[in-house]
Amino acid sequence: RVLGLDHVQLPIPPGGEGWARNFWSGLLGLPEVEKPGSLAGRGGVWFQCGSQQIHCGVEAEFTPGRRHPALLVADLVAARRALENAGLPIRQEPEIPGYRRLFTEDPFGNRVELMERS
């Protein structure tokens, strides 16, 4: 029996932790979570996202992911403005019932969806 979603893992290239921190924490405001000591040697960085987490895991043979997290935001217009100011790509998609949304990419090309309840 599944109880819920704990985390989503996205790939990052070796040495990408600083860029990940700038995007997930600096731009999107997610607090960083300390990785357990048993996993710290692998690199990567984790962030709290509501009651779930985003894990940015180092992959030596990195390829950006098209599968993506969809993050709820309080203000999609403000989020869009912050992404534009950071020079990140924005792709508008058709709304789905009850939500306005857009897609962007993290600094590594991983797709990220931002959604606001309408």
Side-chain angles (χ1 to χ4, degrees):
R1 168 178 96 122
V2 175
L3 299 178
L5 180 67
D6 181 77
H7 70 275
V8 172
Q9 178 148 333
L10 296 172
I12 65 171
E17 291 87 352
W19 287 99
R21 285 182 178 100
N22 288 340
F23 178 78
W24 292 103
S25 190
L27 185 64
L28 297 182
L30 300 181
E32 185 173 342
V33 176
E34 186 174 343
K35 288 181 68 171
S38 60
L39 300 178
R42 295 181 180 180
V45 61
W46 294 3
F47 303 94
Q48 194 68 44
C49 183
S51 59
Q52 294 81 32
Q53 295 180 355
I54 303 285
H55 292 182
C56 297
V58 173
E59 292 186 6
E61 295 185 28
F62 169 76
T63 302
R66 301 316 310 154
R67 294 172 189 89
H68 63 279
L71 309 176
L72 288 174
V73 298
D75 185 342
L76 191 63
V77 171
R80 179 187 193 104
R81 191 175 316 115
L83 294 166
E84 288 172 340
N85 289 341
L88 293 168
I90 296 176
R91 194 175 74 248
Q92 199 67 45
E93 293 287 332
E95 291 184 10
I96 56 177
Y99 296 90
R100 289 181 291 280
R101 65 189 184 141
L102 62 82
F103 285 88
T104 190
E105 295 177 356
D106 72 5
F108 316 106
N110 293 307
R111 190 160 83 169
V112 177
E113 183 176 2
L114 300 179
M115 305 175 74
E116 177 186 16
R117 288 189 172 101
S118 54

